[in-house]
Amino acid sequence: MSPSEVRPNSAPSSSIALSVNGRERALEVDNRASLLDTLRERLDLTGTKKGCDHGQCGACTVLVAGRRVNSCLTLAVAVEGDEIVTVEGLSDGDRLHPVQQAFLERDGFQCGYCTPGQICSTVGLLAEAKKGWPSHATADVSHVCGPEGVTLDENEVRERLSGNLCRCGAYANMVPAVLDAQAAERR
Amino acid sequence: MKPFGYERPVDLAAAVTLLAERPDARVLAGGTNLVDLMRLGVERPGLLIDVNRLGMDGIEPMAGGGIRIGAGVRNSDLAGDIGVRTAFPLLAEAVLAGASGQLRNMASVGGNLLQRTRCLYFADTSKPCNKREPGSGCSALAGSSRELAVLGASESCIATFPGDMAVALSALGARVEFQTERGEHVVDIDDFYRDPGDHPELDTTLPPGAIITAVHVPGLPVSARSTYRKARDRRSFAFGLVTVAAALEVDDGIVQGVRLALGGVAHRPWRARRAEAELVGRPVAVAAIERAIDAELSEARPTPENAFKVPLVRRLVTGTLLRLAAEDGR
């Protein structure tokens, strides 16, 4: 075979290693497979939900390298080697993550379908606030905050969580849950 | 979705070479638009070239107070950067006005420049669309056009560029840096985007085989007093109907310098140069601002469904400039 005929990059699948919730998983994935489908169908991690599959609802939100992303628009093959955390990986054994605890205490859900995405998104947004990142709800983007980062209020939470839809409309209880979680994180 | 190969080149040169060899390839950065379009069958690449690990993710100072933003910088990192937030507030505000927290964490600066229109017919492979399928016709001309263009459109396409960041970059007179097999190139953002004309399939003038490597934002004194405003159907996570990026320098009530660009009104971010020229030397007052924006809108050709955009532009620009002027006086 001449070199021009060697086209390994045209293979429709790839052998990859995914690091999910601290565990290394070796997989052969179709290049088309989203991270969402791979988590659910291949790794039996069905906590992450499929809503719209277009990045519009946020039900599929997971953390990749500590940042919240839509797993439906993420190709599994492209996140090889990145640290992936799903809702199943948040708790410390039987001890819930502070965000999970806050959602439970505030009853921040009804049917629960969007909840894993809401919770992972909240973990991500609290980290963003801690870095001092402003949002569209921030009056002055040039303001520099202290080491604790942005202190959230209702408006900030609603804006920062706008990538997660809840068709039950349980937002009213989610907002205080997120505020509680930030307070708990700072204690 | 059609099967495709996946390649992660070791460096930019390898990526450019591979892209030149494979005209059926697409460049994968954040994937927020591309992967969605592949799922819809609008994009059908035979190969994805992943440029996410090529180290194009820095924001560096340039001579004269400007910055060079790597094409791989995530939207969220750009909007979070304190240097950007203080020197170019309109840029941070524009990025924060777009998408959701999750999408901004994924989306790259280079990919954001290249995002495709959200015209319904472009995304619907069962309908004619000259942008998706040249020569098939434009469904929007006699169809749903509420979100579409009022300026610079053609008989073949009335799609709008949907982004926010590029509108701010247009106001700032940014330049787009890209790499081809022949080397590095830099083009003004005005020349990077284009009107649809008879070739609406081309959103930009980026040549085939090119990979965007960075955006250069020049240092301008006027940028310090700047903002981005977005009118949309809901308060968060929605594309703009009309948006405005504005920077203003006022002395004793008279406009010394102004930068103005509009989003949601054309096939490209619309730098409002006529309005800028009209405004310099004039007082910051409703009448003068309206005269300037009317000059800009004199060639507007709205459809019955999007005629509301013309007065909306006038009000949004007027309100934005008056607010900037009031801040300037503080």
Side-chain angles (χ1 to χ4, degrees):
Chain A
M1 213 193 288
S2 75
S4 65
E5 286 169 295
V6 182
R7 299 172 81 183
N9 50 46
S10 285
S13 63
S14 306
S15 291
I16 62 166
L18 281 186
S19 168
V20 184
N21 299 331
R23 241 183 96 190
E24 195 84 4
R25 318 283 286 256
L27 287 169
E28 175 84 10
V29 291
D30 188 311
N31 293 334
R32 295 174 291 184
S34 66
L35 175 59
L36 170 61
D37 286 343
T38 305
L39 291 169
R40 291 181 55 85
E41 316 273 336
R42 303 288 303 281
L43 302 178
D44 288 329
L45 292 167
T46 54
T48 306
K49 303 302 185 204
K50 184 185 281 193
C52 68
D53 217 20
H54 287 290
Q56 296 171 359
C57 77
C60 68
T61 303
V62 300
L63 300 161
V64 174
R67 297 156 68 107
R68 54 178 172 156
V69 301
N70 302 98
S71 64
C72 72
L73 294 180
T74 303
L75 296 175
V77 65
V79 289
E80 182 178 25
D82 290 331
E83 192 63 49
I84 296 156
V85 175
T86 69
V87 71
E88 291 94 340
L90 290 177
S91 70
D92 179 10
D94 284 339
R95 246 187 67 210
L96 292 179
H97 187 281
V99 174
Q100 292 174 309
Q101 191 64 42
F103 268 68
L104 196 61
E105 285 170 7
R106 289 286 187 170
D107 196 19
F109 41 80
Q110 273 188 48
C111 83
Y113 194 80
C114 71
T115 308
Q118 303 279 3
I119 287 174
C120 286
S121 193
T122 299
V123 173
L125 81 80
L126 290 177
E128 292 161 11
K130 199 168 182 177
K131 280 193 271 192
W133 283 4
S135 82
H136 180 66
T138 307
D140 178 5
V141 295
S142 64
H143 175 73
V144 183
C145 40
E148 287 211 308
V150 178
T151 300
L152 299 174
D153 59 21
E154 272 201 32
N155 269 340
E156 285 281 3
V157 172
R158 287 180 184 277
E159 165 59 29
R160 289 169 192 254
L161 210 45
S162 71
N164 292 79
L165 303 189
C166 169
R167 294 296 74 169
C168 302
Y171 304 112
N173 289 353
M174 285 182 217
V175 174
V178 176
L179 294 174
D180 283 0
Q182 185 177 55
E185 180 189 81
R186 288 176 169 191
R187 270 198 293 274
Chain B
M1 201 189 290
K2 190 182 139 206
F4 56 85
Y6 170 86
E7 193 76 358
R8 203 184 291 146
V10 291
D11 57 26
L12 181 63
V16 166
T17 302
L18 186 57
L19 186 58
E21 279 170 16
R22 292 286 300 266
D24 64 332
R26 285 285 184 274
V27 173
L28 176 71
T32 55
N33 194 198
L34 177 62
V35 171
D36 194 34
L37 290 174
M38 287 164 64
R39 195 163 284 149
L40 292 166
V42 175
E43 287 281 0
R44 302 168 57 82
L47 174 70
L48 285 188
I49 301 173
D50 187 339
V51 296
N52 283 298
R53 304 184 192 203
L54 298 183
M56 302 191 289
D57 51 5
I59 302 175
E60 303 145 19
M62 289 178 79
I67 50 170
R68 179 184 180 277
I69 306 163
V73 170
R74 304 296 143 174
N75 284 5
S76 51
D77 290 309
L78 177 62
D81 184 88
I82 189 60
V84 171
R85 284 155 50 195
T86 49
F88 309 100
L90 80 173
L91 181 54
E93 288 179 23
V95 172
L96 292 171
S100 66
Q102 291 95 315
L103 290 168
R104 289 192 296 271
N105 276 338
M106 301 172 72
S108 70
V109 164
N112 196 304
L113 292 176
L114 294 178
Q115 65 173 314
R116 311 301 307 272
T117 185
R118 263 51 175 204
C119 177
L120 296 173
Y121 304 105
F122 176 71
D124 182 350
T125 56
S126 71
K127 301 284 196 310
C129 168
N130 285 325
K131 184 178 279 298
R132 176 168 34 76
E133 195 67 55
S136 63
C138 173
S139 303
L141 278 173
S144 174
S145 59
R146 182 172 174 271
E147 285 81 14
L148 304 181
V150 298
L151 285 167
S154 72
E155 280 303 303
S156 63
C157 182
I158 57 170
T160 41
F161 174 77
D164 296 294
M165 181 191 77
V167 180
L169 291 174
S170 175
L172 290 166
R175 307 177 82 202
V176 180
E177 177 195 303
F178 60 92
Q179 190 84 21
T180 68
E181 279 201 300
R182 293 193 309 282
E184 187 183 299
H185 314 258
V186 182
V187 62
D188 285 348
I189 197 159
D190 267 356
D191 300 321
F192 179 78
Y193 289 106
R194 56 185 298 284
D195 292 330
D198 294 330
H199 288 283
E201 73 277 13
L202 301 173
D203 292 350
T204 70
T205 58
L206 194 68
I211 295 178
I212 298 177
T213 47
V215 173
H216 302 180
V217 183
L220 299 170
V222 73
S223 320
R225 190 80 64 197
S226 65
T227 193
Y228 187 78
R229 282 187 77 187
K230 182 171 184 176
R232 46 184 162 175
D233 283 329
R234 60 181 183 195
R235 197 157 143 194
S236 186
F237 198 14
F239 289 99
L241 293 167
V242 172
T243 72
V244 55
L248 184 68
E249 211 181 336
V250 179
D251 188 31
D252 207 16
I254 303 295
V255 176
Q256 304 298 313
V258 61
R259 292 296 183 99
L260 208 52
L262 305 172
V265 296
H267 192 256
R268 54 187 296 158
W270 189 271
R271 175 82 179 270
R273 289 187 184 276
R274 276 192 208 181
E276 289 179 7
E278 285 274 333
L279 279 164
V280 174
R282 299 270 160 75
V284 192
V286 174
I289 297 171
E290 286 190 344
R291 201 160 41 240
I293 200 63
D294 284 347
E296 192 68 50
L297 291 168
S298 62
E299 279 160 37
R301 299 283 176 271
T303 68
E305 283 194 10
N306 68 19
F308 73 93
K309 288 193 177 187
V310 175
L312 184 53
V313 168
R314 192 182 293 125
R315 290 200 300 272
L316 201 63
V317 170
T318 305
T320 303
L321 290 179
L322 289 176
R323 194 160 76 178
L324 279 176
E327 283 175 21
D328 208 39
R330 244 182 256 152

